[in-house]
Amino acid sequence: MQCTAYLILGSNIGDREANLSSASSLLSANDLSIVKSSRLYETEAWGNINQAGFYNQALKIETSLSPLSLLQRCLKVEEEIGRVRIEKWGPRIIDIDIAYYENLILQVEELKIPQHSLEKRKFALIPLTEISAHKIHPLLLKSNKDLLSECDDSLTVKTVDA
């Protein structure tokens, strides 16, 4: 059975655009296809602000993977690209988060769906709104567009000029 999920990708080490492109390529397989991609956005770091800015992108995917199998795929891709987890919210070559998986609400130790604090993060809401403005957050029962309009995150998010 195919399910729709949304991923948020981020990178702030090395060639950020190439890192996001590599992640998209490595994610794609027989059991996962990318249906829609947002533009690239450059954002100030969130959480730990004393680091380089990020490139972020949202992907709408179709997959037969379960949520935990999708998480494992994301972690494997991060590892293949060279991510090493050193500090929470620290610099990273690639970060892949599951924002939504269908209308699932999942709260287990290794995975929170919808993504924790999604409604507080413009770097996630802006690209998500671009590709799926009317997707409803299953806990807050508001669309991405509405969450973005209510978000008080003051960090700068701008499109990357091609």
Side-chain angles (χ1 to χ4, degrees), residues 11-23:
S11 174
N12 77 334
I13 295 175
D15 186 336
R16 299 171 293 177
E17 186 172 351
N19 295 339
L20 296 179
S21 179
S22 293

Side-chain angles (χ1 to χ4, degrees), residues 32-69:
L32 187 157
S33 61
I34 297 171
V35 177
K36 199 169 192 179
S37 303
S38 74
R39 292 175 286 177
L40 298 182
Y41 291 87
E42 186 168 20
T43 68
E44 296 177 90
W46 191 92
N48 174 2
I49 60 172
N50 296 318
Q51 59 183 312
F54 280 80
Y55 274 17
N56 291 103
Q57 183 176 38
L59 303 177
K60 179 180 181 180
I61 64 167
E62 294 290 330
T63 186
S64 59
L65 295 170
S66 69
L68 290 174
S69 294

Side-chain angles (χ1 to χ4, degrees), residues 13-145:
I13 295 175
D15 186 336
R16 299 171 293 177
E17 186 172 351
N19 295 339
L20 296 179
S21 179
S22 293
S24 293
S25 295
L26 290 169
L27 284 165
S28 298
N30 293 338
D31 53 7
L32 187 157
S33 61
I34 297 171
V35 177
K36 199 169 192 179
S37 303
S38 74
R39 292 175 286 177
L40 298 182
Y41 291 87
E42 186 168 20
T43 68
E44 296 177 90
W46 191 92
N48 174 2
I49 60 172
N50 296 318
Q51 59 183 312
F54 280 80
Y55 274 17
N56 291 103
Q57 183 176 38
L59 303 177
K60 179 180 181 180
I61 64 167
E62 294 290 330
T63 186
S64 59
L65 295 170
S66 69
L68 290 174
S69 294
L70 178 57
L71 172 64
Q72 290 309 310
R73 168 74 59 79
C74 293
L75 293 173
K76 182 179 180 214
V77 167
E78 289 180 350
E79 185 178 302
E80 286 181 42
I81 294 175
R83 176 153 185 197
V84 178
R85 295 176 185 274
I86 298 170
E87 67 177 293
K88 185 173 181 155
W89 294 329
R92 45 207 175 272
I93 193 165
I94 192 69
D95 185 43
I96 307 169
D97 293 318
I98 303 169
Y100 299 115
Y101 185 100
E102 292 287 333
N103 293 317
L104 181 68
I105 297 170
L106 180 66
Q107 303 290 315
V108 295
E109 185 177 338
E110 61 269 50
L111 182 58
K112 310 271 189 270
I113 299 176
Q115 182 185 14
H116 178 69
S117 299
L118 182 63
E119 71 280 5
K120 298 177 183 175
R121 301 173 179 184
K122 276 170 73 179
F123 72 83
L125 288 171
I126 289 173
L128 280 171
T129 299
E130 177 188 331
I131 64 171
S132 190
H134 301 292
K135 168 69 180 152
I136 301 296
H137 189 293
L139 279 172
L140 302 175
L141 303 178
K142 294 180 180 184
S143 70
N144 287 327
K145 183 178 179 180

